[in-house]
Amino acid sequence: MAADGVRGRYAKGVERKREILAVAYETLRETGASGASLRAIGESIGVSHGMLTHYFGSREGLLVEVIREHDRVNDERMPDSVSLVQRMRFSAEFNVQFPGMVSLFTEMLAKSVEAGDGPARSFFTARFARARVELAAELGGQLAALPEERRADAAMLVDLIMAASDGLQVRWLLDPSVDVAGTLGLLERLGRTG
């Protein structure tokens, strides 16, 4: 009976964390979190600072989970069987609807390169490693089909595509007239005609 009570409390805790994350996601994807303390974020979503700390450990931990939730929502709406560059383009089209998320992503990306080993560094290191492997595998087949003299170093091309995607989103934050999705589409077309 005691084990059932522990399992029940655990399940309730998991559900409560999910509920808090859903509210934080809805709030922060519109507003971003630049400069907001964990206490201010908690107040804006109607949850105590202590509860946020309990479930997410820190402001950085919460914000990384919000980005992870945005990625999950974006993945669910993604068409099947699209290339990774097309996924980046579709993601950019989705992201411009939520300037707060682009700002939050950029803030946490900057945080990830600071000294130490916080949640942002772990998240972005794994995220970029996974994307690099997927994109390299995808481009490998396309590059192999090209004549030898036209093949680019796949690793360098992968890094260029990823840098273009992230850099364009930062530029868009500074100048909303930058067409992130359109520019990624151009990159995709250039890659096909190479």
Side-chain angles (χ1 to χ4, degrees):
M1 185 143 156
D4 286 343
V6 170
R7 269 196 298 267
R9 281 195 304 270
Y10 177 77
K12 287 179 184 174
V14 168
E15 182 57 30
R16 182 65 174 136
K17 181 178 180 178
R18 244 187 247 131
E19 291 169 357
I20 293 168
L21 181 58
V23 173
Y25 172 64
E26 289 300 321
T27 301
L28 297 177
R29 76 181 192 166
E30 298 295 333
T31 64
S34 186
S37 67
L38 196 59
R39 188 172 313 281
I41 293 168
E43 288 172 6
S44 74
I45 64 173
V47 176
S48 74
H49 171 267
M51 187 168 284
L52 290 179
T53 302
H54 171 74
Y55 285 118
F56 300 100
S58 64
R59 175 184 185 273
E60 185 178 338
L62 170 63
L63 299 180
V64 165
E65 288 305 313
V66 168
I67 293 170
R68 197 182 311 274
E69 177 66 8
H70 185 74
D71 286 349
R72 187 193 64 73
V73 169
N74 188 38
D75 286 346
E76 283 182 357
R77 56 171 284 286
M78 195 64 61
D80 291 334
S81 67
V82 294
S83 72
L84 198 53
V85 176
Q86 288 172 319
R87 288 178 61 85
M88 288 178 182
R89 193 180 82 235
F90 292 148
S91 292
E93 290 169 352
F94 182 60
N95 289 345
V96 298
Q97 299 172 51
F98 307 104
M101 280 308 302
V102 179
S103 176
L104 176 59
F105 182 91
T106 303
E107 178 184 341
M108 288 296 97
L109 182 57
K111 182 81 174 154
S112 75
V113 298
E114 293 178 1
D117 192 29
R121 179 179 287 264
S122 299
F123 172 76
F124 282 103
T125 299
R127 187 179 204 268
F128 287 141
R130 185 178 60 252
R132 195 169 200 258
V133 167
E134 290 172 3
L135 190 52
E138 192 172 290
L139 290 176
Q142 294 172 8
L143 294 173
L146 292 173
E148 185 72 39
E149 66 276 2
R150 293 183 55 209
R151 290 183 198 160
D153 180 351
M156 288 173 46
L157 185 55
V158 165
D159 289 337
L160 178 62
I161 292 168
M162 291 171 60
S165 178
D166 291 337
L168 286 165
Q169 290 189 72
V170 171
R171 291 219 30 242
W172 175 79
L173 285 173
L174 298 170
D175 178 2
S177 71
V178 171
D179 183 359
V180 179
T183 306
L184 288 171
L186 172 63
L187 185 60
E188 182 181 15
R189 290 189 303 279
L190 290 172
R192 279 197 307 262
T193 60

